[in-house]
Amino acid sequence: MAWNFTFVLIAACALLASAVNGAPSKTVIKPRSQELRDAIEEYRVRFDELHKEKDQFLQFGRTGLWATVRHMNEDVLQDLGETRNIVEYGFDDVRLEISLLIVEGNHNEQCLLDLVYEIVAEKVQLGNQISVCAAGTTDEKDSLPASFYEFLNLLQRLSNSIAETTLYTFVSQNSVSDPERHLEFLQEAYEETERAWTQEALPLMQFELDAMEYNRPLIVADNAQCLQAINEQQQAFEDSIRARMPLCL
């Protein structure tokens, strides 16, 4: 009986020792899958921050483009408005003089009325020429930022894709069989994305903005030159009317 008790005691001690040896250690080593998850989360945050930064960068480009186009429109509209006023009201004085001559009754009324009809026809002709100048300038203004808009839209799509880069890597990388390569790919993708934006996208955008600023005064000057010809034609026609008024005796 004592032998049986001794055997049970020995067996119990052996079982206890086995349980102690099998207990988990206080220092737990993360499995590789957990390391990968942590790294992926880190890069997800970094790509998201990069995406937000580039969105601000694109907003800067849009603001610069909008400011340039706005200033160009203001200059063009000012010149168009001045020429329109010249055509609309530039003949008022000579028409008043003709009206006074008709009222006096000492001149050939039909001759004077014919001069008035010529003035009306000339105003229509000059108005059409203003429309031609405006249409040509509008085409130039619209074509100038067109490529820039396309460039901005392309960069916006690329910026939107940055936030999804981490998710896309699961399509091309096998995180189960080769997690190290997956992490290397994330690092390479981040570095290349940052490099491309800094060394390629930013200089190109600055070039586009500089080109807009360079061409803006040229377009305004072309429009002003077109309108100046109309102003000179209006003045020449008015001088011609005044020169023929004494002939209506």
Side-chain angles (χ1 to χ4, degrees):
M1 186 70 177
W3 182 86
N4 289 338
F5 177 78
T6 301
F7 175 79
V8 172
L9 182 60
I10 293 173
C13 290
L15 180 62
L16 179 60
S18 175
V20 171
N21 291 334
S25 172
K26 292 183 179 180
T27 303
V28 179
I29 300 176
K30 287 184 178 181
R32 293 169 68 183
S33 60
Q34 182 61 43
E35 293 177 358
L36 178 61
R37 284 195 295 269
D38 292 344
I40 289 175
E41 176 60 19
E42 176 186 349
Y43 274 104
R44 185 195 66 77
V45 173
R46 294 178 68 183
F47 274 112
D48 189 58
E49 292 175 349
L50 188 63
H51 159 66
K52 293 177 181 177
E53 176 187 335
K54 300 318 172 188
D55 265 2
Q56 294 176 352
F57 168 71
L58 291 175
Q59 185 59 41
F60 162 77
R62 291 190 185 91
T63 301
L65 175 62
W66 177 81
T68 299
V69 172
R70 186 195 66 183
H71 292 154
M72 181 166 53
N73 286 337
E74 289 175 350
D75 293 340
V76 167
L77 289 175
Q78 180 178 348
D79 292 340
L80 286 171
E82 291 175 357
T83 298
R84 176 195 173 280
N85 289 337
I86 289 174
V87 172
E88 182 67 24
Y89 306 111
F91 294 108
D92 285 358
D93 290 343
V94 69
R95 291 180 66 176
L96 177 60
E97 294 174 17
I98 292 174
S99 299
L100 293 176
L101 292 177
I102 292 176
V103 171
E104 288 178 2
N106 298 325
H107 293 74
N108 186 329
E109 181 176 345
Q110 187 59 50
C111 177
L112 294 173
L113 288 175
D114 288 342
L115 294 180
V116 173
Y117 296 148
E118 288 187 38
I119 291 174
V120 173
E122 182 66 12
K123 287 181 63 175
V124 173
Q125 178 64 26
L126 293 175
N128 291 335
Q129 292 181 27
I130 291 177
S131 298
V132 172
C133 291
T137 302
T138 299
D139 290 341
E140 289 187 75
K141 290 195 297 92
D142 291 345
S143 63
L144 183 60
S147 62
F148 197 5
Y149 279 124
E150 293 177 1
F151 179 59
L152 285 175
N153 290 336
L154 172 61
L155 291 182
Q156 184 63 67
R157 290 194 294 271
L158 293 176
S159 175
N160 293 340
S161 69
I162 289 177
E164 305 297 333
T165 300
T166 306
L167 180 61
Y168 293 157
T169 60
F170 283 94
V171 177
S172 61
Q173 302 298 312
N174 192 330
S175 58
V176 176
S177 63
D178 195 356
E180 290 83 1
R181 177 54 193 151
H182 194 165
L183 292 178
E184 289 176 2
F185 184 86
L186 282 171
Q187 181 178 2
E188 293 169 359
Y190 183 85
E191 292 175 353
E192 175 59 22
T193 300
E194 193 171 36
R195 183 205 64 78
W197 278 88
T198 303
Q199 299 182 17
E200 297 178 17
L202 180 58
L204 281 174
M205 178 172 290
Q206 189 60 55
F207 173 81
E208 291 282 356
L209 287 173
D210 291 343
M212 288 284 294
E213 282 298 319
Y214 175 81
N215 285 285
R216 178 172 67 88
L218 298 180
I219 292 177
V220 173
D222 286 345
N223 180 68
Q225 183 177 3
C226 182
L227 296 174
Q228 182 59 32
I230 297 174
N231 297 340
E232 294 174 357
Q233 181 176 339
Q234 187 276 336
Q235 186 60 55
F237 190 82
E238 181 180 350
D239 294 342
S240 171
I241 293 293
R242 290 184 183 280
R244 286 184 288 159
M245 285 172 58
L247 301 178
C248 296
L249 296 176

